[in-house]
Each structure stands twice: as structure tokens, then as C-alpha cells.
Amino acid sequence: MSMFSIFDISSSAVSAQAQRLNVVASNLANVDAVAGPDGKTYKARQVVFQTTPMGDDSAAGVKVSAIQESDVPGRKVHDPSNPLADADGYVTHSNVNPVEEMVNMISASRSYQNNVEVMNTAKTLLLKTLQMGQ
Amino acid sequence: MLDKMTNQLDFQGHALLLRAERQRLLASNIANVDTPGYVARDMKFAEALTAATGGSSTMPVSQESRAGSYGTTDAGHIPLSGFSEHSTVGYAVQTQPSLDNNSVDMDHQRATFMDNAVRYEATLRFINAQAKTMLSAIQGQ
């Protein structure tokens, strides 16, 4: 029954979007992280989506192929009184852009909802198909 | 005699299979709405149904006569039984260009998905009603 693979497709998308939400959450949690003594600070992470075949070529799921760290330089704030400040008095924060992350979060949550709706519709149709001839 | 009774059911059965196939394509499109470079797939339902039922719009031809047209280029090839749904699968037309070359239009896909779901249910009801009609004809009451 080909309709059963809708659940595979949509669940792959739901789990990919959930992973995206996880990454957004860790980015937002570290938005104010300051560089430690080694000078390295938290780097914003992004998921990379990739189409993955499900059974045959007409059914395409999605998977997270990689999680990339952003190379944007960290935000520098002049704060000489901070013990973590460098020789010029600058403190390096993480390179997370909170606006970007919020937009990412809304997009991920909408896609998640859409895929759940797809699964619900497929379930309704399959249940009706089971009742065929009754 | 039995052929006359099941012809109509056969037609609706093909339609139901194609609706399920299209539903799966649309689910793939919705799943890949955020994948860079993904190209949306879709099918022309009328053409797919015509191909599946062997050219006739209401009365399907028998299995043997249409099986030969799929995937055989030599007389020695064994023809496929049933129809090949992939022969009619194409690519959806992009409505707005996007930076990541993804051609899925979410609003359009959702609308089409719901439309296809309703039509799937309609086909199911046709099948159910036809089965009931046949049963009452057999019982003759």
C-alpha cells in the first residue's frame, strides 16, 4: 500500500524540523555567551537539509545531512571592566543573530505543523480505505 | 458477464491508486519545503488516468492489451503487469523563484493536498456505492 509511505516521508520531515528547532534553541540559549580564556566563543549552528529517497523515486523524504558552524566573526563589545576582556578592552560574544534565529524558529514550527497535518490526513484516508465495502 | 460487473469498479480502482500515488508525491513536496535545490513533483491526473486505463475515459481495456506499451522495446521483453505510475510523474511549475532553488509553493501544495484528499474520499464512496448496487442486484430483493 503506497499511502503508508506517507508516514515515512512526513516523519522524516518532522524529525528533521525538530532537529532544526533543537539547533535554534541551543543558538538562542548561547546568544550572550562570552569567549572563554582560550578566545573561542560559541558559534551559531545551522542544519543542512537534504532530500533522501524513500523506497522508490517518487517518494522523497528529508534528512539532516550536516550541522554547520557559522564563520561570522563574533560580536565585540567594549567592556574593559569585564575580566574576560582582551588587551584592547573588547569582550567577544557569540556570533548568534537572534533575529535570524527567531525567523528560523517560526519557519521550522510551521513546517512541523504542516507535516503533522499531512500525516493526519493520510491516516483519515487510510482508515476510510479500510472501511471500504462495509 | 462478470467483466461487465467489475469494469466500472476496475476504473475506480485505478483512479484510487493514482490518487494515493499523487497524495504521496504531495507529501514528499511538503516534507521537502525547506530542502535547498528540491524540485516539486506532480502529475497530470487526467493524463495519468487515461494512461492507466488504456486510453478510454470510462471503460478500461483488458490488462493484456495495455501492458505492452510500458517499458517494452523488444518483442522478447516481458510486459509489465499493471500500470507504471512513474511514467506520468512530472515536475510542478514554479510560481515564485526562491534563493535556494527550491520550487515548492507551500500554499499551492497544501491546497492541492486537501483537494486530492477529498477526491480520494469521493472515489472511495463511488466504489462503496457501486459495490452496494451490485450486491442488491445480485440479491434481487
Side-chain angles (χ1 to χ4, degrees):
Chain A
M1 185 91 188
S2 65
M3 280 255 283
F4 278 111
S5 62
I6 288 183
F7 294 111
D8 296 336
I9 295 165
S10 292
S11 67
S12 77
V14 161
S15 80
Q17 299 292 348
Q19 199 168 342
R20 185 178 171 199
L21 268 178
N22 263 335
V23 168
V24 167
S26 66
N27 285 349
L28 279 176
N30 286 284
V31 71
D32 281 327
V34 177
D38 57 349
K40 282 181 185 157
T41 180
Y42 179 85
K43 286 194 167 135
R45 280 148 208 196
Q46 300 291 348
V47 291
V48 181
F49 284 167
Q50 196 189 355
T51 305
T52 176
M54 296 257 159
D56 56 38
D57 63 338
S58 71
V62 64
K63 68 170 182 185
V64 175
S65 65
I67 294 178
Q68 280 187 345
E69 288 192 345
S70 159
D71 284 332
V72 178
R75 188 163 42 94
K76 282 184 185 281
V77 176
H78 188 65
D79 184 10
S81 64
N82 195 313
L84 294 168
D86 61 6
D88 298 326
Y90 282 99
V91 179
T92 311
H93 288 257
S94 73
N95 61 355
V96 176
N97 183 346
V99 179
E100 220 169 71
E101 297 304 329
M102 291 302 283
V103 172
N104 226 338
M105 184 187 78
I106 294 167
S107 168
S109 117
R110 286 280 177 269
S111 299
Y112 192 102
Q113 289 171 16
N114 275 330
N115 281 293
V116 170
E117 206 182 296
V118 166
M119 279 195 277
N120 276 332
T121 309
K123 181 192 150 206
T124 314
L125 289 180
L126 280 170
L127 283 178
K128 291 234 166 94
T129 313
L130 279 177
Q131 291 168 353
M132 194 186 329
Q134 284 178 12
Chain B
M1 179 59 197
L2 202 65
D3 196 38
K4 275 181 187 165
M5 284 168 69
T6 54
N7 255 353
Q8 197 66 29
L9 271 179
D10 200 27
F11 175 77
Q12 298 288 0
H14 280 302
L16 195 72
L17 276 179
L18 279 170
R19 286 282 171 214
E21 182 65 23
R22 190 168 186 219
Q23 198 76 351
R24 206 162 60 126
L25 280 177
L26 296 170
S28 299
N29 290 346
I30 292 174
N32 281 285
V33 72
D34 293 318
T35 311
Y38 180 81
V39 184
R41 319 273 318 258
D42 203 353
M43 62 164 72
K44 279 186 178 168
F45 190 80
E47 285 178 15
L49 189 59
T50 312
T53 53
S56 150
S57 58
T58 51
M59 300 292 273
V61 293
S62 64
Q63 195 87 355
E64 293 77 37
S65 58
R66 71 188 141 84
S69 57
Y70 293 111
T72 54
T73 49
D74 187 273
H77 287 171
I78 299 167
L80 294 170
S81 61
F83 58 88
S84 164
E85 56 269 314
H86 305 305
S87 57
T88 46
V89 174
Y91 295 95
V93 179
Q94 194 173 15
T95 47
Q96 291 182 70
S98 66
L99 270 179
D100 60 355
N101 281 329
N102 184 308
S103 74
V104 180
D105 178 354
M106 198 59 193
D107 301 324
H108 186 246
Q109 292 297 330
R110 284 190 52 159
T112 319
F113 188 83
M114 288 317 293
D115 176 78
N116 201 57
V118 171
R119 283 168 199 270
Y120 183 93
E121 279 199 50
T123 308
L124 268 179
R125 287 194 189 191
F126 281 131
I127 292 177
N128 280 333
Q130 264 162 21
K132 279 198 184 116
T133 310
M134 283 301 161
L135 278 176
S136 63
I138 291 168
Q139 287 165 351
Q141 288 170 0

